[in-house]
Amino acid sequence: MSWLNRGQRPLIDSADYYDTHSEQFYRDTVGVNMDALYARFLQHVPVGKPILDAGCGSGRDATAFKGLGYPVGAFDASEAMAIKASELLGQSVAVQMFEQFKETPRYGGIWACASLLHVPETKLPEAFSRLWEALLGGGVLYCSFKCSGQLIPDTVLSFSSATAGASPPLKAWGRFWL
């Protein structure tokens, strides 16, 4: 498997990490301009259909989609991040992990920006299946991962990678790549 160990310290749970580092993570991410990625994603989202920000972190992306007129839903595994995202978004953000997510088809788009990388590769097929089940016909799922070998010094998290050698290959789940 392509789990990347980022140092000599023991690995910790992602939700615990973000609960502990929510202030810094929020400051580092909330102002990042994602307009180019939003444009590529939104051209595939059926007009007026809801968007789910899965693993929303600071709430930056859900807030942007809401500002563009889309109804949005959001969840994050970190309670501290969900609180911050709720405040920014002006609506409730659920606290849940991908393996807890279960919805009937209701979203025209699902945005999972740098969030599925926290799911172990062996559990990614189930996570993708759960997300697909929540998509309406014609809906689109965006996800992003770190490239294998991209190390972050002194980090205590592991990440699933999206390399050609990932097992099972991520291409098997995709409708298309943006």
Side-chain angles (χ1 to χ4, degrees), residues 84-156:
K84 292 194 159 307
S86 295
E87 292 169 357
L88 181 66
L89 185 57
Q91 69 185 56
S92 179
V93 169
V95 178
Q96 66 181 351
M97 298 177 71
F98 284 98
E99 51 266 22
Q100 298 167 316
F101 176 75
K102 181 80 173 149
E103 290 209 29
T104 57
R106 64 180 287 202
Y107 296 103
I110 297 177
W111 180 266
C113 186
S115 56
L116 283 164
L117 57 79
H118 294 296
V119 176
E121 286 180 12
T122 58
K123 295 184 179 182
L124 278 173
E126 179 185 348
F128 275 104
S129 292
R130 289 174 177 272
L131 294 172
W132 282 140
E133 289 172 10
L135 276 175
L136 294 168
V140 64
L141 167 65
Y142 167 82
C143 59
S144 59
F145 290 83
K146 294 179 179 292
C147 292
S148 181
Q150 182 180 357
L151 299 177
I152 302 172
D154 300 321
T155 301
V156 293

Coordinates of all heavy atoms in Angstrom, one line a residue, residues 84-156:
K84 N -15.9 25.4 13.0 CA -15.3 26.5 12.2 C -16.1 26.6 10.9 O -16.4 27.7 10.5 CB -13.8 26.4 12.1 CG -13.1 26.5 13.3 CD -11.6 26.8 13.1 CE -10.9 27.4 14.2 NZ -11.5 28.6 14.7
A85 N -16.2 25.5 10.2 CA -16.9 25.5 8.9 C -18.4 26.0 9.1 O -18.9 26.7 8.2 CB -16.8 24.1 8.3
S86 N -19.0 25.5 10.1 CA -20.4 25.9 10.4 C -20.5 27.4 10.5 O -21.4 28.1 10.0 CB -21.0 25.3 11.6 OG -21.1 23.9 11.4
E87 N -19.6 28.0 11.3 CA -19.6 29.5 11.5 C -19.4 30.2 10.2 O -20.0 31.2 9.9 CB -18.5 29.8 12.5 CG -18.8 29.3 13.9 CD -17.6 29.5 14.9 OE1 -16.5 29.9 14.4 OE2 -17.8 29.1 16.0
L88 N -18.4 29.7 9.4 CA -18.1 30.4 8.1 C -19.3 30.2 7.1 O -19.7 31.2 6.4 CB -16.8 29.8 7.5 CG -16.4 30.4 6.1 CD1 -16.0 31.9 6.3 CD2 -15.2 29.6 5.6
L89 N -19.8 29.0 7.0 CA -20.9 28.7 6.1 C -22.2 29.3 6.5 O -23.1 29.5 5.6 CB -20.9 27.2 5.9 CG -21.9 26.6 4.9 CD1 -21.6 27.1 3.5 CD2 -21.7 25.1 4.9
G90 N -22.4 29.5 7.8 CA -23.7 30.0 8.2 C -24.8 28.9 8.2 O -26.0 29.2 8.2
Q91 N -24.4 27.6 8.3 CA -25.3 26.5 8.5 C -24.6 25.4 9.1 O -23.3 25.3 9.2 CB -25.9 26.1 7.1 CG -24.9 25.5 6.2 CD -25.5 25.2 4.8 OE1 -26.0 26.1 4.1 NE2 -25.4 23.9 4.4
S92 N -25.3 24.4 9.6 CA -24.7 23.3 10.3 C -23.9 22.4 9.4 O -24.2 22.1 8.2 CB -25.9 22.4 10.9 OG -25.4 21.3 11.6
V93 N -22.8 22.0 9.9 CA -21.9 21.0 9.3 C -21.8 19.8 10.1 O -21.5 19.8 11.3 CB -20.5 21.6 9.1 CG1 -19.5 20.6 8.6 CG2 -20.5 22.8 8.1
A94 N -22.1 18.6 9.5 CA -22.2 17.4 10.3 C -20.8 16.9 10.7 O -19.8 17.2 9.9 CB -22.9 16.3 9.5
V95 N -20.6 16.3 11.8 CA -19.4 15.6 12.2 C -19.5 14.1 11.9 O -20.3 13.4 12.6 CB -19.1 15.9 13.7 CG1 -17.8 15.1 14.1 CG2 -19.0 17.3 14.0
Q96 N -18.8 13.7 10.9 CA -18.9 12.3 10.5 C -17.7 11.9 9.7 O -17.1 12.8 9.1 CB -20.2 11.9 9.9 CG -20.4 12.5 8.5 CD -21.8 12.0 7.9 OE1 -22.4 11.2 8.5 NE2 -22.1 12.6 6.8
M97 N -17.4 10.6 9.6 CA -16.3 10.1 8.8 C -16.9 9.5 7.5 O -18.1 9.3 7.5 CB -15.5 9.1 9.6 CG -14.9 9.7 10.8 SD -14.0 8.4 11.8 CE -12.6 8.1 10.8
F98 N -16.1 9.3 6.5 CA -16.6 8.7 5.3 C -17.3 7.4 5.5 O -18.3 7.1 4.8 CB -15.5 8.6 4.2 CG -15.1 9.9 3.6 CD1 -14.0 10.6 4.1 CD2 -15.8 10.4 2.6 CE1 -13.6 11.8 3.5 CE2 -15.4 11.6 2.0 CZ -14.3 12.3 2.5
E99 N -16.8 6.6 6.4 CA -17.4 5.3 6.6 C -18.8 5.4 7.3 O -19.5 4.4 7.4 CB -16.5 4.3 7.3 CG -15.9 4.8 8.6 CD -14.5 5.4 8.4 OE1 -14.2 5.8 7.3 OE2 -13.8 5.5 9.4
Q100 N -19.1 6.6 7.9 CA -20.4 6.8 8.5 C -21.4 7.5 7.5 O -22.6 7.5 7.7 CB -20.3 7.7 9.7 CG -19.4 7.1 10.8 CD -19.0 8.2 11.8 OE1 -18.6 9.3 11.5 NE2 -19.1 7.8 13.1
F101 N -20.9 8.0 6.4 CA -21.7 8.7 5.5 C -22.6 7.8 4.7 O -22.2 6.8 4.2 CB -20.8 9.5 4.5 CG -21.6 10.2 3.4 CD1 -22.3 11.4 3.7 CD2 -21.6 9.7 2.1 CE1 -23.0 12.0 2.7 CE2 -22.3 10.3 1.1 CZ -23.0 11.5 1.4
K102 N -23.9 8.1 4.7 CA -24.9 7.3 3.9 C -26.0 8.2 3.6 O -26.7 8.7 4.4 CB -25.4 6.1 4.8 CG -26.3 5.2 4.2 CD -25.7 4.2 3.3 CE -26.7 3.2 2.8 NZ -26.3 2.7 1.5
E103 N -26.2 8.4 2.3 CA -27.4 9.2 1.8 C -27.9 8.6 0.5 O -27.2 8.0 -0.3 CB -26.9 10.6 1.5 CG -26.6 11.4 2.8 CD -26.9 12.9 2.7 OE1 -27.8 13.3 1.9 OE2 -26.2 13.6 3.5
T104 N -29.2 8.9 0.2 CA -29.8 8.5 -1.0 C -29.3 9.5 -2.1 O -28.8 10.6 -1.7 CB -31.3 8.5 -0.9 OG1 -31.7 9.8 -0.5 CG2 -31.7 7.4 0.1
P105 N -29.5 9.3 -3.3 CA -29.1 10.2 -4.4 C -29.7 11.6 -4.2 O -31.0 11.7 -4.2 CB -29.5 9.6 -5.7 CG -29.6 8.1 -5.4 CD -30.0 8.0 -3.9
R106 N -28.9 12.6 -4.0 CA -29.5 14.0 -3.8 C -28.5 15.1 -4.3 O -28.9 16.2 -4.4 CB -29.9 14.2 -2.4 CG -28.8 14.1 -1.4 CD -29.3 14.4 0.0 NE -29.6 15.8 0.2 CZ -29.7 16.4 1.3 NH1 -29.5 15.8 2.4 NH2 -30.0 17.7 1.3
Y107 N -27.3 14.7 -4.6 CA -26.3 15.7 -4.9 C -25.9 15.7 -6.4 O -25.7 14.6 -7.0 CB -25.0 15.5 -4.1 CG -25.2 15.7 -2.6 CD1 -25.3 14.6 -1.8 CD2 -25.4 17.0 -2.1 CE1 -25.5 14.8 -0.4 CE2 -25.6 17.2 -0.7 CZ -25.7 16.1 0.1 OH -26.0 16.2 1.4
G108 N -25.9 16.9 -7.0 CA -25.4 17.0 -8.4 C -23.9 17.0 -8.5 O -23.3 16.8 -9.5
G109 N -23.3 17.3 -7.3 CA -21.8 17.3 -7.3 C -21.3 17.0 -5.9 O -22.0 17.4 -4.9
I110 N -20.3 16.3 -5.8 CA -19.6 16.0 -4.5 C -18.2 16.5 -4.6 O -17.5 16.0 -5.5 CB -19.7 14.5 -4.1 CG1 -21.2 14.2 -3.9 CG2 -18.9 14.3 -2.8 CD1 -21.4 12.7 -3.5
W111 N -17.7 17.3 -3.7 CA -16.4 17.9 -3.7 C -15.7 17.3 -2.5 O -16.1 17.5 -1.4 CB -16.6 19.4 -3.5 CG -15.3 20.2 -3.5 CD1 -14.7 20.6 -2.4 CD2 -14.6 20.7 -4.6 NE1 -13.6 21.3 -2.7 CE2 -13.5 21.5 -4.1 CE3 -14.8 20.7 -6.0 CZ2 -12.6 22.1 -4.9 CZ3 -13.9 21.3 -6.8 CH2 -12.8 22.0 -6.2
A112 N -14.6 16.5 -2.8 CA -13.8 15.9 -1.7 C -12.4 16.3 -1.9 O -11.5 15.6 -2.4 CB -14.0 14.4 -1.7
C113 N -12.1 17.6 -1.6 CA -10.8 18.2 -1.9 C -9.8 17.9 -0.7 O -10.0 18.3 0.4 CB -10.9 19.7 -2.0 SG -9.4 20.6 -2.5
A114 N -8.9 17.0 -1.0 CA -7.8 16.6 0.0 C -8.4 16.1 1.3 O -7.9 16.3 2.4 CB -6.9 17.8 0.3
S115 N -9.5 15.3 1.1 CA -10.1 14.7 2.3 C -10.1 13.2 2.2 O -9.8 12.5 3.2 CB -11.6 15.2 2.5 OG -12.3 15.0 1.3
L116 N -10.4 12.6 1.1 CA -10.3 11.2 0.9 C -8.9 10.6 1.1 O -8.8 9.4 1.4 CB -10.8 10.7 -0.5 CG -12.4 10.8 -0.6 CD1 -12.7 10.7 -2.1 CD2 -13.0 9.6 0.2
L117 N -7.9 11.5 1.1 CA -6.5 11.0 1.3 C -6.3 10.6 2.7 O -5.4 9.9 3.0 CB -5.5 12.1 0.9 CG -5.6 13.5 1.6 CD1 -5.0 13.5 2.9 CD2 -4.9 14.4 0.7
H118 N -7.3 10.9 3.6 CA -7.2 10.4 5.0 C -7.8 9.1 5.2 O -7.8 8.5 6.3 CB -7.9 11.4 6.0 CG -7.1 12.8 6.0 ND1 -5.9 12.9 6.5 CD2 -7.5 14.0 5.6 CE1 -5.5 14.1 6.4 NE2 -6.5 14.8 5.9
V119 N -8.4 8.5 4.2 CA -9.1 7.2 4.2 C -8.0 6.2 3.8 O -7.4 6.3 2.7 CB -10.3 7.1 3.3 CG1 -10.9 5.7 3.3 CG2 -11.3 8.2 3.7
P120 N -7.8 5.1 4.6 CA -6.8 4.1 4.2 C -7.2 3.5 2.8 O -8.4 3.3 2.6 CB -6.9 3.1 5.3 CG -7.5 3.8 6.5 CD -8.4 4.8 5.9
E121 N -6.2 3.2 2.0 CA -6.5 2.7 0.7 C -7.4 1.5 0.7 O -8.3 1.3 -0.2 CB -5.2 2.4 -0.1 CG -4.5 3.7 -0.5 CD -3.2 3.4 -1.2 OE1 -3.0 2.2 -1.6 OE2 -2.5 4.3 -1.4
T122 N -7.3 0.6 1.7 CA -8.2 -0.6 1.7 C -9.6 -0.2 1.9 O -10.5 -1.0 1.6 CB -7.7 -1.5 2.8 OG1 -7.8 -0.8 4.1 CG2 -6.3 -2.1 2.5
K123 N -9.9 1.0 2.5 CA -11.3 1.5 2.7 C -11.8 2.4 1.7 O -12.9 2.8 1.7 CB -11.4 2.1 4.1 CG -11.1 1.1 5.2 CD -11.3 1.7 6.6 CE -11.1 0.6 7.7 NZ -11.3 1.2 9.0
L124 N -10.9 2.8 0.7 CA -11.4 3.7 -0.3 C -12.5 3.2 -1.2 O -13.4 4.0 -1.5 CB -10.2 4.2 -1.2 CG -9.3 5.3 -0.6 CD1 -8.1 5.5 -1.5 CD2 -10.1 6.6 -0.5
P125 N -12.5 1.9 -1.6 CA -13.6 1.5 -2.4 C -15.0 1.7 -1.8 O -15.9 2.1 -2.4 CB -13.3 0.0 -2.6 CG -11.8 -0.1 -2.5 CD -11.5 0.9 -1.5
E126 N -15.1 1.4 -0.5 CA -16.3 1.6 0.3 C -16.7 3.1 0.3 O -17.8 3.5 0.1 CB -16.2 1.0 1.7 CG -17.5 1.3 2.4 CD -17.4 0.8 3.9 OE1 -16.5 0.1 4.3 OE2 -18.3 1.2 4.7
A127 N -15.7 3.9 0.6 CA -15.9 5.4 0.6 C -16.4 5.9 -0.7 O -17.4 6.7 -0.8 CB -14.6 6.1 1.1
F128 N -15.8 5.5 -1.8 CA -16.2 5.9 -3.1 C -17.6 5.4 -3.4 O -18.5 6.1 -3.9 CB -15.3 5.4 -4.2 CG -14.1 6.4 -4.4 CD1 -12.9 6.1 -4.0 CD2 -14.3 7.5 -5.1 CE1 -11.8 6.9 -4.2 CE2 -13.2 8.4 -5.4 CZ -12.0 8.1 -4.9
S129 N -17.9 4.2 -3.0 CA -19.3 3.6 -3.2 C -20.3 4.4 -2.5 O -21.4 4.7 -3.1 CB -19.3 2.2 -2.8 OG -18.6 1.4 -3.6
R130 N -20.0 4.8 -1.3 CA -21.0 5.6 -0.5 C -21.2 7.0 -1.1 O -22.3 7.5 -1.2 CB -20.5 5.8 0.9 CG -20.6 4.5 1.8 CD -19.9 4.7 3.1 NE -20.0 3.5 4.0 CZ -21.0 3.3 4.8 NH1 -22.0 4.1 4.8 NH2 -21.1 2.2 5.5
L131 N -20.1 7.6 -1.6 CA -20.3 8.9 -2.3 C -21.1 8.7 -3.6 O -21.9 9.5 -3.9 CB -18.9 9.5 -2.5 CG -18.1 9.9 -1.3 CD1 -16.7 10.3 -1.6 CD2 -18.9 11.0 -0.5
W132 N -20.7 7.7 -4.4 CA -21.5 7.5 -5.7 C -23.0 7.3 -5.4 O -23.8 7.8 -6.2 CB -21.0 6.2 -6.4 CG -19.7 6.3 -7.2 CD1 -18.7 5.4 -7.2 CD2 -19.2 7.4 -8.0 NE1 -17.7 5.8 -8.0 CE2 -18.0 7.0 -8.5 CE3 -19.7 8.6 -8.4 CZ2 -17.2 7.8 -9.4 CZ3 -19.0 9.4 -9.2 CH2 -17.7 9.0 -9.7
E133 N -23.3 6.6 -4.3 CA -24.7 6.4 -4.0 C -25.5 7.7 -3.7 O -26.7 7.7 -3.9 CB -24.9 5.4 -2.8 CG -24.5 4.0 -3.2 CD -24.4 3.1 -2.0 OE1 -24.9 3.5 -0.9 OE2 -23.9 1.9 -2.1
A134 N -24.8 8.7 -3.3 CA -25.4 10.0 -3.0 C -25.5 10.9 -4.2 O -26.1 12.0 -4.1 CB -24.6 10.7 -1.8
L135 N -24.9 10.5 -5.3 CA -24.9 11.4 -6.5 C -26.2 11.1 -7.3 O -26.6 10.0 -7.5 CB -23.7 11.1 -7.4 CG -22.4 11.8 -7.1 CD1 -21.3 11.2 -8.1 CD2 -22.5 13.3 -7.2
L136 N -26.8 12.2 -7.8 CA -27.9 12.1 -8.8 C -27.3 11.6 -10.1 O -26.1 11.8 -10.4 CB -28.5 13.5 -8.9 CG -29.2 14.0 -7.7 CD1 -29.6 15.5 -7.9 CD2 -30.5 13.2 -7.4
G137 N -28.1 11.1 -11.0 CA -27.7 10.8 -12.3 C -27.1 12.0 -13.0 O -27.7 13.1 -12.9
G138 N -26.0 11.8 -13.6 CA -25.3 13.0 -14.3 C -24.5 13.8 -13.3 O -23.8 14.8 -13.8
G139 N -24.4 13.4 -12.0 CA -23.6 14.2 -11.1 C -22.2 13.8 -11.2 O -21.8 12.9 -11.9
V140 N -21.3 14.6 -10.5 CA -19.9 14.5 -10.7 C -19.2 14.5 -9.3 O -19.7 15.2 -8.4 CB -19.3 15.6 -11.6 CG1 -19.5 16.9 -11.0 CG2 -17.8 15.3 -11.9
L141 N -18.2 13.7 -9.1 CA -17.4 13.7 -7.9 C -16.0 14.2 -8.2 O -15.3 13.7 -9.1 CB -17.3 12.2 -7.4 CG -16.2 12.0 -6.3 CD1 -16.6 12.7 -5.0 CD2 -16.1 10.5 -6.0
Y142 N -15.6 15.2 -7.4 CA -14.2 15.7 -7.5 C -13.5 15.2 -6.3 O -14.0 15.4 -5.2 CB -14.2 17.2 -7.6 CG -12.8 17.8 -7.4 CD1 -11.9 17.8 -8.4 CD2 -12.4 18.2 -6.1 CE1 -10.6 18.3 -8.2 CE2 -11.1 18.7 -5.9 CZ -10.2 18.7 -6.9 OH -8.9 19.2 -6.7
C143 N -12.3 14.7 -6.4 CA -11.4 14.4 -5.3 C -10.0 14.7 -5.7 O -9.6 14.7 -6.8 CB -11.6 12.9 -4.9 SG -11.2 11.7 -6.1
S144 N -9.2 14.9 -4.6 CA -7.8 15.2 -4.9 C -7.0 14.5 -3.8 O -7.4 14.3 -2.7 CB -7.5 16.7 -4.8 OG -7.9 17.3 -3.6
F145 N -5.8 14.1 -4.2 CA -4.9 13.3 -3.3 C -3.5 13.9 -3.5 O -3.2 14.6 -4.4 CB -4.8 11.8 -3.8 CG -6.1 11.1 -3.5 CD1 -7.1 11.1 -4.4 CD2 -6.1 10.3 -2.4 CE1 -8.3 10.4 -4.1 CE2 -7.3 9.5 -2.1 CZ -8.4 9.6 -3.0
K146 N -2.6 13.6 -2.5 CA -1.2 13.9 -2.7 C -0.5 12.9 -3.6 O -1.0 11.7 -3.7 CB -0.5 13.8 -1.3 CG -1.0 14.9 -0.3 CD -0.3 14.7 1.0 CE -0.7 15.8 2.0 NZ -0.3 17.1 1.6
C147 N 0.5 13.3 -4.3 CA 1.3 12.4 -5.1 C 2.2 11.5 -4.2 O 2.7 12.0 -3.2 CB 2.1 13.2 -6.1 SG 1.2 14.0 -7.3
S148 N 2.3 10.3 -4.6 CA 3.1 9.4 -3.8 C 4.6 10.0 -3.8 O 5.0 10.5 -4.8 CB 3.2 8.0 -4.4 OG 4.0 7.2 -3.6
G149 N 5.2 9.9 -2.6 CA 6.6 10.4 -2.5 C 6.6 11.8 -2.1 O 7.7 12.3 -1.8
Q150 N 5.5 12.5 -2.0 CA 5.5 13.9 -1.6 C 5.4 13.9 -0.1 O 4.4 13.7 0.5 CB 4.2 14.6 -2.2 CG 4.1 16.1 -1.8 CD 2.9 16.7 -2.4 OE1 2.1 16.1 -3.2 NE2 2.7 18.0 -2.1
L151 N 6.5 14.2 0.5 CA 6.6 14.1 2.0 C 6.5 15.5 2.6 O 6.9 16.5 2.1 CB 8.0 13.5 2.4 CG 8.2 12.1 1.9 CD1 9.6 11.6 2.3 CD2 7.2 11.1 2.4
I152 N 5.9 15.5 3.8 CA 5.8 16.7 4.6 C 6.6 16.4 5.9 O 6.2 15.6 6.7 CB 4.3 17.0 4.9 CG1 3.6 17.2 3.6 CG2 4.3 18.3 5.8 CD1 2.1 17.4 3.8
P153 N 7.7 17.1 6.1 CA 8.5 16.8 7.2 C 7.8 17.1 8.5 O 7.0 18.0 8.6 CB 9.7 17.8 7.1 CG 9.7 18.2 5.7 CD 8.3 18.1 5.2
D154 N 8.1 16.3 9.5 CA 7.6 16.4 10.9 C 6.1 16.3 11.0 O 5.5 16.9 11.9 CB 8.0 17.8 11.5 CG 9.6 17.9 11.6 OD1 10.2 16.8 11.9 OD2 10.1 18.9 11.3
T155 N 5.4 15.7 10.1 CA 4.0 15.5 10.2 C 3.7 14.1 10.7 O 4.5 13.2 10.4 CB 3.3 15.6 8.8 OG1 3.6 16.9 8.3 CG2 1.8 15.4 8.8
V156 N 2.7 13.9 11.5 CA 2.4 12.7 12.1 C 1.1 12.0 11.5 O 0.5 11.1 12.1 CB 2.1 12.9 13.7 CG1 3.4 13.3 14.3 CG2 1.0 13.8 13.9

